[in-house]
Amino acid sequence: MAVQTQTRWQRARVIEVSDAAEGVRRIVLAPERPEHAAPGTHVDVELDVGNGVRRVRSYSVVRSADGGRRLTLSVRLSPTSSGGSAAMHRLRAGDELTVTAPLQNFPLAVGATRYVLVAGGIGVTALVAMASALRRRGADYELVLVGRSRAVMAYVDELAAEHGDRVRIHVDDEGTPLVVDDLVARIARTPAAAGTELYMCGPIGLMNAVSRSWTEHDLPATNLRFETFGSGGRHPAEEFLVRLPDLGREITVAPDTSILDALEAAGVETLSDCRKGECGLCLAKVVGSTGVVDHRDVFLSDSQKERSDRLCLCVSRAVAAPAEAGGGPGAPAVLSLRLT
Ligand code: FES
């Protein structure tokens, strides 16, 4: 059984597409029932990923203009995508697609003493509107932008122009990578530390590092907020098999599908809520694996991930073991699971 928030679908027309950075498309939609999208909201988009297969993908609303008559999304083309991001990159002005109204599960709280927004790569899309809202409120905030190279970082110039010296830019290939511990230690040293909220969206490795450091500096756990969708894992996604010994089933999980989606498509009942690796409701026991589990959630601790006896079905995956560990070329990983 999937526990999901009520979904209101509608048609939306693509009114503009352009490049926001290398490999990142900026797509402006005009929904048939406009509704202002608050900072932190996203829309789910139903996409035809080929061969009649339809998938739902979530994208942050970067900007909401004219009462929601213009919703801007931005999508990075995943090199391993055979589905969602490739379909979004094929969109042209005039195309139509099916989307939800704006959905909120990353709300910006009111009243924090200070705000720190940390965006890794395409994660910036979840934070652009938040930063603008904080500027308009006259809040004390900083926006930390992190990327591999400036060419692939969307909205950097726009954000620097809007937020001036409240923006800190860290670019790996410019020799200015983010040192997570330095950032969190600096937050912990300020008089406003206990009232500082940190909002982040980016690769799972970055979010885990921030979360670890946040705990080590004894900062309040409730002041750390994540947006996780789109977080990549440690390994590129590849096809693997899930065995359910209790049900006598074996199900293939394609590179662009989650285990949860694959199980649901095969008629296997599962529990889920956030579908973003945050709530832990979809946890399953790992009873065997010929490969490596690529944990992509922010629910399990580092030590639980290392033990790897449970995984979040909605985001985590498996990849074939390297040859030296017994993995054969072309042999997909096989993951045996017990649903709880
Ligand atoms: S449904 Fe929430 S962690 Fe998977």
Side-chain angles (χ1 to χ4, degrees), residues 122 201-205 207 227-233 276 296-298 315:
I122 194 64
C201 185
I204 202 72
M207 294 200 288
E227 178 61 281
T228 52
F229 52 70
S231 299
K276 300 193 304 172
R296 299 177 170 209
D297 63 282
V298 288
V315 288

Side-chain angles (χ1 to χ4, degrees), residues 283 295 297 299-311:
L283 276 177
H295 292 280
D297 63 282
F299 179 78
L300 295 172
S301 66
D302 286 352
S303 58
Q304 289 171 317
K305 285 176 185 169
E306 211 165 301
R307 233 174 17 248
S308 229
D309 55 357
R310 293 187 298 164
L311 60 66

Side-chain angles (χ1 to χ4, degrees), residues 202-257:
I204 202 72
L206 172 66
M207 294 200 288
N208 281 333
V210 172
S211 173
R212 207 161 36 235
S213 188
W214 195 261
T215 308
E216 282 165 10
H217 285 90
D218 269 337
L219 290 163
T222 48
N223 287 1
L224 199 56
R225 317 277 169 98
F226 304 91
E227 178 61 281
T228 52
F229 52 70
S231 299
R234 284 178 299 128
H235 305 276
E238 60 185 42
E239 184 175 297
F240 59 100
L241 297 176
V242 165
R243 275 197 192 127
L244 303 170
D246 293 347
L247 304 178
R249 301 282 307 268
E250 183 169 290
I251 292 154
T252 300
V253 182
D256 63 337
T257 309

Side-chain angles (χ1 to χ4, degrees), residues 6-14 29-38 42-44 61 64-71 96-103:
Q6 190 189 0
T7 305
R8 291 161 291 153
W9 292 98
Q10 60 183 320
R11 298 297 288 165
R13 195 163 45 82
V14 177
L29 300 178
E32 65 182 357
R33 294 194 301 276
E35 191 180 308
H36 174 66
H42 67 276
V43 290
D44 286 347
V61 177
S64 167
D66 198 12
R69 282 178 184 78
R70 292 170 59 88
L71 297 182
E96 289 215 341
L97 67 173
T98 304
V99 304
T100 59
L103 304 169

Side-chain angles (χ1 to χ4, degrees), residues 1 34 80 109 146 156 160 242 282 319:
M1 175 189 59
T80 54
V146 185
V156 174
V242 165
C282 66
V319 294

Side-chain angles (χ1 to χ4, degrees), residues 3 228 260 271-283 297-299 311-316:
V3 180
T228 52
L260 186 62
L271 281 173
S272 64
D273 184 9
C274 71
R275 303 175 85 91
K276 300 193 304 172
E278 292 176 0
C279 71
L281 197 58
C282 66
L283 276 177
D297 63 282
V298 288
F299 179 78
L311 60 66
C312 288
L313 296 172
C314 61
V315 288
S316 297

